Amino acid sequence: MIRILMVCLGNICRSPLAHGILASKLDADYFEVDSAGTSNYHIGNLPDQRSIAVARKNGLDISNQTGRQFIVNDFETYDYIYVMDNSNFKNVVKMARNAADITKVKLILNESNPDKDLEVPDPYYGGRSGFDDVYKMLDESCSVITEKLSKS
Ligand code: 4NP
């Protein structure tokens, strides 16, 4: 089993979408996908209604997800840890125990835009169109991740 974790700040807007999108592209017999937030703001909460809506518009149901906080043991459990922005990167790397942990952590948009260090903007305080943009970016990166993992 190959395990992939998607991480953002709240685990209600961006990482639940990344989680749902990637899981929909991979064979669940071989790949496990989850998501977490670096903060404790939304533990146990459903994804934001706007994330649920944009997922549904694209044929995905993410309404069964619940928010949880990133824990040190996630470095043990997961093979790949994708973060949405530089702040997430800093917060996750701060918890790393060794160099091997750090190598697992990657900015997700570097999959679709190699070496550009682009960030998935936090859509929480914006309007609905922000969620459409985020969906599109994540879908592109998740397609690249799927191609790579399918070859591995
Ligand atoms: P997310 O968005 O990190 O994509 O889940 C946010 C959700 C909630 C908050 C910040 C970002 N918040 O401050 O509550």
Side-chain angles (χ1 to χ4, degrees):
M1 189 66 85
I2 294 179
R3 296 185 172 84
I4 304 111
L5 184 67
M6 301 298 190
V7 177
C8 63
L9 174 62
N11 192 209
I12 56 167
C13 295
R14 294 166 293 176
S15 61
L17 279 174
H19 170 179
I21 293 167
L22 187 64
S24 77
K25 295 179 190 288
L26 293 174
D27 184 340
D29 287 345
Y30 303 102
F31 298 96
E32 195 176 289
V33 185
D34 193 15
S35 60
T38 57
S39 75
N40 61 4
Y41 304 156
H42 297 285
I43 293 171
N45 291 3
L46 288 180
D48 187 285
Q49 287 305 318
R50 296 164 296 177
S51 283
I52 291 177
V54 75
R56 185 168 293 137
K57 200 162 83 177
N58 287 278
L60 296 181
D61 181 8
I62 63 164
S63 66
N64 57 343
Q65 295 185 26
T66 49
R68 74 165 176 90
Q69 190 169 19
F70 182 84
I71 54 172
V72 173
N73 196 247
D74 287 326
F75 287 115
E76 210 68 60
T77 309
Y78 293 92
D79 302 292
Y80 301 91
I81 298 170
Y82 287 107
V83 296
M84 303 296 130
D85 62 30
N86 289 314
S87 168
N88 306 151
F89 189 90
K90 217 166 47 187
N91 287 324
V92 170
V93 163
K94 223 166 32 191
M95 292 171 69
R97 303 156 304 171
N98 51 47
D101 285 353
I102 295 173
T103 61
K104 293 185 177 185
V105 188
K106 296 186 188 329
L107 278 173
I108 192 166
L109 292 188
N110 275 346
E111 296 294 331
S112 50
N113 300 270
D115 304 322
K116 294 258 165 53
D117 290 346
L118 299 178
E119 301 184 303
V120 182
D122 184 347
Y124 187 60
Y125 293 106
R128 274 178 190 277
S129 69
F131 285 77
D132 285 311
D133 296 342
V134 163
Y135 191 95
K136 190 157 170 281
M137 293 173 203
L138 291 175
D139 191 48
E140 283 171 10
S141 277
C142 287
S143 292
V144 177
I145 293 169
T146 301
E147 276 169 41
K148 284 190 185 169
L149 289 177
S150 303
K151 281 186 214 142
S152 67

